Amino acid sequence: MRTTLNAADGAASHLLFDPSSALDVAAFVVAGVDLSPGAAIPSDGDPRIDRALAGFLFTCGPEHIRHPEALEGSAGAYYPLHGSLAGTPVSRTEMCGAGDRCTAVTEVDLACGGRAAIERLWQVDAAAHAVTLADRVINIGSSAFAPMMMYHMNIAGRLLGEETRIESPSVDGGSLPWRFGEGESAHFCRPAVACDGWSEVALTAMPGLKGRALRVRFRTETLPFLQMWRCQRGGANVVSIEPASHRLAKRPQLAANGELDPLQPGQSRDYSLAFTVS
């Protein structure tokens, strides 16, 4: 499933959606160059995540994010790597209008025994030269669960150079080199600084995209944290922008601090982001 966006500089952009994984973005091609890392990724041993990470955007959640942790009240059971959604086929999908609007519903069984539906709306805004995503997570099960969501936008490290920087009011001084931290792999997670309810982050001056920048915006009401990760280890060369619903802490800590807000049967929660290359 593919749609096209004409960028501000006239370069055509193409989105390839993956209906076998919640209608995530398998490829994002700008002026003939795919931003996705492809095979240049590390493996955590979960084939569904290896496939998802190779694409441009995959969704982590809806009941757990990050690495596996023990399932509350179940000895020996764990939440899966990056939650249960990745690798789940859509229940139904529809391309609307002139290919500038696409909807999908994905129903997923949760590790905690509940069930959720993700109502997804992708839109291409030709006037703003941007792609927007609106998700609604609905509890369609018979018990409450605490929704957790994180969006991984994965960029091939080969497209970045010494001049490439991370620019955002959420990082110290508003700018830092893309190869942040020490060693072959590094990550950070910090509160997202918002303006009118939205936070922004950009990877600027990417030589592999002829100096273009990837700009990302996300709604901080339900995605109040900016996480970023990079890995240049062995054959892996990837950088990821990851708006997140929760800070980097173990589930027992989040629960003790009242940060795992339950969603009762029939209730829903909304998440939004947008991105563009300019």
Side-chain angles (χ1 to χ4, degrees):
M1 186 174 294
R2 184 185 295 269
T3 190
T4 300
L5 167 69
N6 290 317
D9 59 6
S13 302
H14 304 280
L15 289 165
L16 179 64
F17 296 113
D18 186 357
S20 70
S21 185
L23 212 68
D24 284 337
V25 182
F28 181 33
V29 180
V30 178
V33 179
D34 188 0
L35 276 71
S36 310
I41 57 169
S43 175
D44 282 312
D46 186 333
R48 70 192 179 99
I49 300 302
D50 289 350
R51 173 175 172 170
L53 182 57
F56 173 72
L57 180 148
F58 84 90
T59 312
C60 184
E63 85 288 34
H64 181 71
I65 58 178
R66 306 185 180 105
H67 292 277
E69 291 191 45
L71 188 65
E72 299 91 343
S74 299
Y78 289 83
Y79 288 97
L81 177 66
H82 296 296
S84 299
L85 184 59
T88 304
V90 297
S91 306
R92 62 182 184 272
T93 184
E94 180 180 1
M95 185 70 76
C96 307
D100 60 353
R101 187 172 182 269
C102 187
T103 62
V105 176
T106 305
E107 295 186 2
V108 57
D109 293 320
L110 307 178
C112 55
R115 189 165 172 81
I118 292 81
E119 294 182 348
R120 174 157 283 187
L121 170 62
W122 284 105
Q123 294 187 94
V124 173
D125 186 339
H129 311 288
V131 180
T132 62
L133 169 64
D135 276 346
R136 174 164 291 170
V137 175
I138 308 169
N139 186 346
I140 59 172
S142 58
S143 58
F145 73 92
M148 304 179 80
M149 293 283 275
M150 183 158 65
Y151 296 88
H152 300 255
M153 279 167 275
N154 311 306
I155 302 98
R158 60 182 172 79
L159 303 177
L160 282 57
E162 292 301 319
E163 63 269 49
T164 304
R165 297 188 68 83
I166 300 165
E167 295 186 355
S168 172
S170 303
V171 303
D172 296 339
S175 178
L176 73 161
W178 75 266
R179 195 183 280 270
F180 58 87
E182 299 180 357
E184 299 174 321
S185 182
H187 67 276
F188 65 74
C189 181
R190 56 192 63 182
V193 176
C195 178
D196 295 328
W198 290 77
S199 187
E200 298 188 6
V201 59
L203 278 175
T204 65
M206 293 187 283
L209 285 176
K210 298 183 179 179
R212 295 180 176 91
L214 170 66
R215 304 186 184 279
V216 176
R217 301 174 67 242
F218 54 97
R219 198 175 75 169
T220 55
E221 180 182 358
T222 49
L223 296 169
F225 295 93
L226 170 62
Q227 180 168 302
M228 291 197 66
W229 166 74
R230 66 168 183 84
C231 182
Q232 287 71 46
R233 183 174 61 245
N237 192 7
V238 58
V239 178
S240 190
I241 297 172
E242 302 171 339
S245 61
H246 292 75
R247 62 188 174 95
L248 188 57
K250 294 292 186 181
R251 293 185 70 101
Q253 291 178 270
L254 296 173
N257 205 40
E259 297 172 64
L260 293 180
D261 186 21
L263 197 65
Q264 300 296 330
Q267 291 183 335
S268 64
R269 198 158 296 169
D270 294 336
Y271 306 83
S272 299
L273 61 83
F275 58 86
T276 187
V277 170
S278 60

